[in-house]
Structure formats: C-alpha cells, structure tokens
Amino acid sequence: MIVFGNDLQHAATTGLLSSGYGNAGAFFVTGQNLWQAAIVFAVRRLVKPTWLNDRDQFLQPAQPLTDKFKSDCLVWMLFNGSNLTAGANGLHWNGRDWSLVNHFIPFTESEVGAKGRFESDFMVRYMDGMTFSPKARAVLDEGRKLWTRFHATQFPRKIRDEFKLNRPDAGWYQIRRALKAYGETELTDFDPFDRAYAALSAKLRPMVYELGFLPE
C-alpha cells in the first residue's frame, strides 16, 4: 500500500497494489493490519484536496472506531478505483517469471460464476461474520453483479492480453477495465454500482472529520 506524506496534498497518491513496492512511503498489508490499512486508505482518499485544505494534516482518531465504520472502510477500499489488485500469470521481470495471486476477492467462485478455482479465499474468510451497513451491503451487491458479468463474458483476445486475463482470480482493476473495454452497453452499465458507491462515500466523508482524522 502506497502512503506518501501526511497531508491532503499527498493523499491522492494513496493506492493498493498486488505487487510489492519498495519505498519509505509504502507498507505491506497483512491479515493483522488489514483493518487499519482499509481505514487509512479510505480516510486519505475520501476527502478531495483543494487549495484551502491541501496542507491539512491527518491525525489519529479522537473517538473510538465502531465495527460498522471498519467494515464500511473495508468495502470502500475493495471497490475503489485506486485498488489496483490483480491476478495474473506470465509476468516477466528481472529474468524470472512471476504470478500474482489476488487475495482481495470478497466473493466465492459460486457467487460470481467463476469457471475456475480462486487460489486464495482470504478475503471471504476475513469478512466472514462481519456485519455491514445497508450502504456497504449495497456496494457489495452491485459489485457482485459486475464480478458475475465479468466471469460470464468471453472477452476477445486483445482484451485478454491487455489486462492479463489468464487466471480465474482477476482483480477489481482488471474486472472494471475489461468490462469497459469490451464496449457493450449492457456490460458497461456501471451506473447502479456508481450510485451505491457514491452513497457509501457520502456516508463516510463527514465521519473523517467527526472522528478526528482531519481537523474541522
């Protein structure tokens, strides 16, 4: 996870990658720190920098964080446009072949009609037993429809090659980009998802200030 700087001016660089990123402004996301990573990701990206606020410093929360806030932030991170997680084989770097395993799939194979097995079920296990707000549940429901649409589509070779669609466990980056590249109106109708995601964003944005992450 990339986290540069501690002010809103640098918050727009915040991103989540499948591969390692060697920099002082980055850290590895693990099963132990995932809930904190999701909150940091959401808090840093929910509020857009302007010339009035771009020097505002992020602070530790001044109030206890509820389980609903934590699960809301996790869902918001999983479906954010700066979630660049992917699953891919045949990556060549530094004289070696590499594969990316996507650990951030919030659904099972049967839920989305995947034709093959996901190598990792980490996120499904991690989310098991969590309670989600109605707005977070709406994002999950609309996201599941897009994931299902992706797995039901036979993409042409050009799109498969461009987005490395050679594993069942494709990531959110690949799914949204491949569907939009395919170009059919039915496949590229993201409006219901976008509305659900905007509603979750509108719920969380004022909480960044209410909980003390940014000065009011």
Side-chain angles (χ1 to χ4, degrees):
M1 182 170 165
I2 304 170
V3 186
F4 291 140
N6 197 48
D7 55 21
L8 268 172
Q9 181 184 22
H10 295 91
T13 63
T14 308
L16 184 70
L17 308 176
S18 282
S19 57
Y21 188 85
N23 192 286
F27 64 89
F28 286 108
V29 179
T30 70
Q32 287 67 49
N33 69 11
L34 176 56
W35 70 272
Q36 292 107 321
I39 291 171
V40 169
F41 183 100
V43 164
R44 286 174 62 89
R45 296 210 64 103
L46 274 161
V47 178
K48 301 302 181 185
T50 69
W51 68 275
L52 291 172
N53 68 11
D54 67 354
R55 295 298 193 275
D56 288 355
Q57 300 288 309
F58 289 102
L59 307 169
Q60 292 184 1
Q63 299 183 36
L65 306 178
T66 66
D67 288 341
K68 282 286 181 64
F69 177 75
K70 295 175 184 178
S71 60
D72 277 356
C73 287
L74 177 64
V75 171
W76 197 87
M77 178 184 74
L78 289 175
F79 291 94
N80 186 264
S82 289
N83 174 352
L84 305 180
T85 52
N89 292 328
L91 305 176
H92 306 284
W93 178 76
N94 202 24
R96 292 178 57 188
D97 292 335
W98 303 79
S99 293
L100 289 178
V101 178
N102 182 13
H103 299 280
F104 275 39
I105 304 177
F107 311 114
T108 65
E109 296 92 337
S110 60
E111 284 183 283
V112 296
K115 298 179 177 64
R117 177 181 172 274
F118 299 152
E119 187 167 337
S120 171
D121 66 348
F122 166 77
M123 190 56 67
V124 169
R125 290 185 289 104
Y126 185 84
M127 294 170 66
D128 184 41
M130 284 186 176
T131 56
F132 297 97
S133 69
K135 287 183 170 56
R137 178 60 62 187
V139 172
L140 285 168
D141 290 343
E142 293 301 331
R144 185 184 300 105
K145 294 176 185 176
L146 293 175
W147 231 283
T148 302
R149 196 179 300 168
F150 170 86
H151 283 288
T153 302
Q154 182 61 47
F155 292 99
R157 177 68 177 272
K158 179 181 178 182
I159 293 178
R160 295 201 309 271
D161 289 347
E162 181 178 358
F163 299 110
K164 299 291 190 292
L165 305 182
N166 52 28
R167 291 176 61 102
D169 54 356
W172 178 232
Y173 169 82
Q174 294 163 298
I175 287 170
R176 66 178 188 274
R177 293 294 299 274
L179 287 174
K180 290 181 178 181
Y182 196 59
E184 288 193 8
T185 303
E186 182 181 351
L187 294 181
T188 56
D189 181 12
F190 277 65
D191 287 349
F193 170 82
D194 289 341
R195 287 193 294 269
Y197 193 79
L200 179 59
S201 301
K203 175 192 177 185
L204 288 173
R205 194 169 291 114
M207 298 180 73
V208 174
Y209 296 97
E210 293 167 7
L211 294 172
F213 288 104
L214 280 173
E216 296 193 63

